[in-house]
Amino acid sequence: MPRFLTMIRINEQQLSPETPFPADFEQRMGALHEEITKAGVMLDTAGLLPTSEGTRLTWSGGKVSYTDGPFTETKEVVGGYSLSQCKDKAEAIEWTRRFLEIHPAEWNVSAEVREIQEM
């Protein structure tokens, strides 16, 4: 079965660690994660620390350069990921849709679903 990487994109200025979560958010997210795991789909998932904790490496002109975060020129950043094994892309997209719908309507969260190329 193919594997998929889903990257969750957020605007760090809009959603920070101090952003309040709805009272039932963790319960609803936990229930979905349990369902995905029991379905044998979820291989791994996690949120990422803010870009202020990261370093960006760039290869250009035959040299590697390093830039410590935060990355102010970037509005949207990868805030989390999931690695899943699904029967097809449609199933991966369906699980991702359900994940996004748990979030409050006033938040702007997007997800990119990409199949992993098997070697």
Side-chain angles (χ1 to χ4, degrees):
M1 284 200 323
R3 294 180 303 152
F4 295 87
L5 176 67
T6 301
M7 294 167 281
I8 306 304
R9 298 187 184 278
I10 62 167
N11 179 330
E12 281 189 320
Q13 285 72 45
Q14 202 175 49
L15 298 175
S16 70
E18 294 80 34
T19 301
F21 286 86
D24 66 340
F25 180 81
E26 287 186 34
Q27 178 187 9
R28 292 172 61 212
M29 188 64 71
L32 180 62
H33 282 175
E34 185 176 331
E35 184 181 351
I36 294 171
T37 301
K38 283 182 179 177
V41 171
M42 184 65 67
L43 301 175
D44 190 25
T45 188
L48 301 176
L49 292 175
T51 59
S52 61
E53 305 279 332
T55 301
R56 183 175 289 159
L57 286 72
T58 304
W59 174 256
S60 180
K63 294 182 181 181
V64 175
S65 62
Y66 304 84
T67 305
D68 289 330
F71 310 120
T72 54
E73 71 279 2
T74 305
K75 182 177 177 183
E76 228 181 38
V77 299
V78 177
Y81 73 93
S82 71
L83 181 62
S84 59
Q85 190 166 15
C86 302
K87 63 182 177 192
D88 54 27
K89 186 176 178 183
E91 182 184 19
I93 289 171
E94 176 61 19
W95 284 114
T96 303
R97 180 193 61 77
R98 291 182 57 195
F99 168 82
L100 289 174
E101 288 179 344
I102 288 174
H103 295 79
E106 63 272 11
W107 290 15
N108 292 314
V109 181
S110 64
E112 181 178 336
V113 177
R114 307 263 305 268
E115 186 171 348
I116 296 172
Q117 182 178 2
E118 301 297 340
M119 302 300 243

